[in-house]
Amino acid sequence: MPRLCQTDGLSEDQTEILKAVRQFVDEQIIPVAQELEHADEYPTEIIEGLKELGVFGLTIPEEFGGLGESLLTYALVVEEIARGWMSVSGVINTHFIVAYMLIQHGTDEQKQKYLPRMATGEVRGAFSMSEPGLGSDVSAVSTKATRADDGSYSITGQKMWLTNGATSTLVALLTKTDEGAESVYKNMTTFLVEKEAGFGETAQGVTVPGKIEKMGYKGVETTELILEGHQIAAEQVLGGEPGKGFFQMMDGVEVGRVNVAARACGLAWRGFELGIAYAQQRKTFGKAIAEHQAVLFRLAEMATKVEVAHTMMVKAARLKDTGERMDVEAGMAKMVASEYANEVVEDSFRIHGGYGYSKEYEIERLMREVKFMLIGEGTSDIQKMIIGRSLLKDYQLR
């Protein structure tokens, strides 16, 4: 097989999982991705196939019916899936983050209640932090959970950019609770909101208005979520203790950045594959354009960027699996992978020439999809802030 994006030191189980996923991508995703993406059609059959492969329970412990695999395994699986169609990786992305947050922070009762059904894909997760006036500044959260005398809560607010907003049945939702802490970051609570799949009022006081139309990232739905006096029991507070929401969400975002890096790696990988294949087929001046130095050098740079992004993503995932803090490494991986993916896909687009502008060619879809990688889980500017502040702490003048 080609040397690009190979990973050393994988176990036999990891190798077999990736082999099965790659075969599924080549046979079940790539042949239909163009048609489904252009129609903005939800990939139902693909998702059912991923359920059978165990992807929805990949990182969920075996005691809850999952495969108990590492973040590294998950990231490599995501890379493979995004290589086929980035939107499909989005379907499992927020589900994975919610499962991770439950594993790390949930009560025993919450784990027993949700994780076995999440492992099979029966319960599907969505992650909700953003709001119309809230992007990178999480402290600006305005969705409010008010506590009643009986200990229950009433939630009111508007959320934005929910991937799986309609198909999900469990939403990890960040709110402001204002229960007396001095810091705004200790006045946030994550709730586990149950709802029905679909649009409209999907639970009492919970409405999913409709899909947000996007330039790319089609097939998977992105929605708003409106809560108007939604009544929820105190047992649905993630971890059972109010005021921990910000830190729980940031833990989820940290692994989410590795996830987005993996998705960007998959897009870059596919962009390179398309570019080098076309460069060997297309001829000018009596020879394949791959033999022209300008194109040959471009291909060399593209392959190098794909490999660098992949290596940094793997490093961040491995570090997290050891239990170490990896906010800097996750930020670096996300920044490099998304920026390099954008450059590699654009270079592939240039290699395709005029044909790259046609919807008949896959690279046109990748050009629209890769832009989301620059935004998801924080822009490169946000990653630079995280990295830079940490560097100043590590390299303080004595």
Side-chain angles (χ1 to χ4, degrees):
M1 60 176 289
R3 69 181 64 181
L4 213 59
C5 293
Q6 291 190 40
T7 303
D8 296 328
L10 296 182
S11 68
E12 186 176 338
D13 286 345
Q14 289 173 313
T15 301
E16 288 302 311
I17 288 170
L18 291 178
K19 182 179 177 181
V21 172
R22 182 172 298 175
Q23 181 177 350
F24 182 84
V25 168
D26 288 339
E27 295 178 358
Q28 305 296 325
I29 297 182
I30 290 177
V32 300
Q34 286 290 92
E35 180 182 354
L36 293 176
E37 198 273 345
H38 289 170
D40 199 6
E41 181 178 336
Y42 189 80
T44 303
E45 292 185 12
I46 292 173
I47 297 308
E48 291 303 313
L50 292 177
K51 286 182 183 179
E52 292 180 13
L53 283 175
V55 171
F56 282 89
L58 193 61
T59 60
I60 293 175
E62 293 180 4
E63 63 182 292
F64 299 111
L67 297 179
E69 282 292 335
S70 63
L71 175 60
L72 174 62
T73 307
Y74 179 81
L76 294 174
V77 165
V78 166
E79 183 181 36
E80 294 281 355
I81 293 172
R83 172 182 155 264
W85 183 15
M86 191 274 288
S87 291
V88 177
S89 67
V91 173
I92 61 173
N93 176 30
T94 53
H95 178 87
F96 154 73
I97 294 176
V98 175
Y100 171 83
M101 291 171 66
L102 273 163
I103 294 165
Q104 297 298 318
H105 306 289
T107 64
D108 290 340
E109 292 77 11
Q110 289 167 348
K111 293 175 185 178
Q112 291 289 348
K113 182 178 181 180
Y114 295 117
L115 289 178
R117 291 183 293 152
M118 293 187 78
T120 63
E122 176 190 350
V123 168
R124 301 274 293 281
F127 177 84
S128 181
M129 185 168 62
S130 294
E131 298 181 0
L134 185 165
S136 302
D137 181 11
V138 183
S139 67
V141 62
S142 61
T143 297
K144 184 75 177 289
T146 304
R147 192 166 191 167
D149 292 339
D150 64 0
S152 66
Y153 290 83
S154 175
I155 304 177
T156 297
Q158 182 181 4
K159 291 293 186 178
M160 285 289 289
W161 310 118
L162 272 77
T163 300
N164 297 327
T167 52
S168 62
T169 52
L170 181 67
V171 181
L173 183 93
L174 184 66
T175 71
K176 186 167 286 183
T177 38
D178 289 341
E179 294 187 291
E182 293 181 4
S183 169
V184 64
Y185 297 106
K186 295 181 180 180
N187 275 326
M188 299 183 198
T189 299
T190 301
F191 286 89
L192 300 171
V193 177
E194 296 183 1
K195 69 179 189 64
E196 297 294 323
F199 294 98
E201 188 168 9
T202 57
Q204 178 273 324
V206 178
T207 302
V208 180
K211 289 198 299 187
I212 298 172
E213 295 296 327
K214 311 181 295 289
M215 68 179 284
Y217 199 17
K218 295 180 180 293
V220 58
E221 81 281 1
T222 305
T223 75
E224 296 177 69
L225 187 70
I226 298 172
L227 302 105
E228 297 177 294
H230 174 63
Q231 302 297 311
I232 190 166
E235 289 76 18
Q236 295 303 108
V237 172
L238 179 62
E241 185 179 352
K244 303 290 187 181
F246 174 78
F247 306 100
Q248 293 164 346
M249 282 280 174
M250 290 304 101
D251 192 19
V253 167
E254 189 173 277
V255 294
R257 284 181 177 136
V258 175
N259 185 294
V260 173
R263 294 164 75 184
C265 286
L267 274 169
W269 186 2
R270 186 59 179 166
F272 171 78
E273 287 182 330
L274 294 173
I276 198 167
Y278 185 82
Q280 294 174 83
Q281 296 164 3
R282 176 69 168 168
K283 293 185 177 181
T284 62
F285 304 104
K287 60 182 179 180
I289 62 173
E291 297 178 34
H292 293 288
Q293 189 179 72
V295 176
L296 189 65
F297 282 12
R298 179 164 280 164
L299 291 170
E301 291 174 358
M302 290 163 65
T304 302
K305 290 174 181 177
V306 171
E307 194 67 22
V308 167
H310 171 83
T311 301
M312 293 194 70
M313 178 271 290
V314 167
K315 178 184 177 182
R318 286 193 192 278
L319 193 61
K320 186 67 174 179
D321 285 332
T322 66
E324 294 185 47
R325 182 174 177 176
M326 42 73 83
D327 52 343
V328 170
E329 288 77 8
M332 287 179 172
K334 193 276 169 182
M335 179 179 68
V336 168
S338 60
E339 294 290 348
Y340 275 2
N342 187 55
E343 292 173 13
V344 168
V345 169
E346 183 171 327
D347 278 341
S348 183
F349 174 79
R350 291 172 185 268
I351 288 171
H352 280 76
Y355 288 104
Y357 208 64
S358 167
K359 285 196 171 185
E360 294 181 17
Y361 281 73
E362 192 177 338
I363 192 64
E364 181 272 340
R365 168 168 62 84
L366 267 62
M367 276 290 289
R368 290 183 286 107
E369 290 178 333
V370 77
K371 301 304 178 185
F372 178 67
M373 298 296 95
L374 299 170
I375 302 168
E377 307 296 7
T379 64
S380 290
D381 289 337
I382 291 297
Q383 310 312 321
K384 290 173 185 177
M385 289 287 289
I386 294 169
I387 296 164
R389 286 171 177 171
S390 181
L391 291 174
L392 290 178
K393 291 179 182 178
D394 292 341
Y395 293 89
Q396 283 185 352
L397 294 176
R398 296 291 186 256

